[in-house]
Amino acid sequence: MQKSFLIVLAVAIIGALAIFQIAPDLNGAIAFFTGAIIASVIFSLQSKTPASTTNSNEPYSGPTMTLYVGNLPYRVHEGEVKSLFSEFGPVNSVRLVRDRKTGRRKGFGFIEMSEAGAKKAMAKLNEFDFQERTLKVREAKSQDSDKSDNNA
């Protein structure tokens, strides 16, 4: 709130100077108030415009797909992987697998993201060089299908 007040005040002063240049016979106080009114109207219209949803913290609610990503660098963090995949669509979650005993990353993980974005990411990021490693990106197999394959 305080930041928005300072912005409106700065724009009002600039507006007052501009109005005073256009109509020098106009009283300075009237020019300032006219600039303040114009600035507050512009600022209120700007704050009512909807924010971009691409960087929203709300999870994507449409059709999703889970991707397996292999050959990840061991030092990579979830945020770096999310940033890479979010170029292709909304990412709901990133889970990098760790060894239970040592806590070290195993070099693979799973990304849940929009289905359309996942298909684009598979096409673009499979065999992609990322931090000196060549990524392997595939659709993740569900654990249920793995168990039925083993029982057959």
Side-chain angles (χ1 to χ4, degrees):
M1 171 116 177
Q2 188 177 22
K3 186 176 181 180
S4 60
F5 174 76
L6 293 176
I7 292 172
V8 170
L9 182 63
V11 172
I13 292 170
I14 293 169
L17 291 174
I19 291 170
F20 194 69
Q21 293 296 322
I22 294 170
D25 56 331
L26 194 62
N27 188 342
I30 294 173
F32 176 77
F33 285 120
T34 306
I37 291 169
I38 293 170
S40 61
V41 168
I42 291 171
F43 192 77
S44 66
L45 290 176
Q46 177 195 11
S47 63
K48 289 182 182 178
T49 58
S52 174
T53 57
T54 55
N55 292 331
S56 174
N57 289 334
E58 295 179 19
Y60 173 76
S61 61
T64 62
M65 181 185 289
T66 302
L67 298 176
Y68 161 84
V69 182
N71 204 31
L72 283 166
Y74 295 108
R75 66 185 180 276
V76 75
H77 295 283
E78 284 85 355
E80 294 170 310
V81 176
K82 183 175 183 175
S83 176
L84 176 67
F85 279 81
S86 66
E87 294 177 24
F88 301 97
V91 175
N92 279 358
S93 66
V94 175
R95 186 173 61 91
L96 302 181
V97 178
R98 294 178 179 263
D99 185 275
R100 288 183 184 171
K101 293 179 183 175
T102 64
R104 291 183 179 169
R105 290 192 177 89
K106 288 188 166 187
F108 69 94
F110 299 93
I111 290 91
E112 181 190 6
M113 63 185 301
S114 70
E115 188 173 352
K119 289 178 181 178
K120 289 179 197 171
M122 276 194 295
K124 298 286 186 176
L125 296 179
N126 188 44
E127 302 293 327
F128 178 77
D129 287 333
F130 178 66
Q131 296 184 5
E132 300 175 3
R133 302 288 297 259
T134 304
L135 298 180
K136 305 294 180 195
V137 182
R138 309 269 189 272
E139 183 174 1
K141 296 179 184 177
S142 69
Q143 291 180 343
D144 295 336
S145 68
D146 290 345
K147 290 177 184 175
S148 65
D149 291 344
N150 293 337
N151 293 337

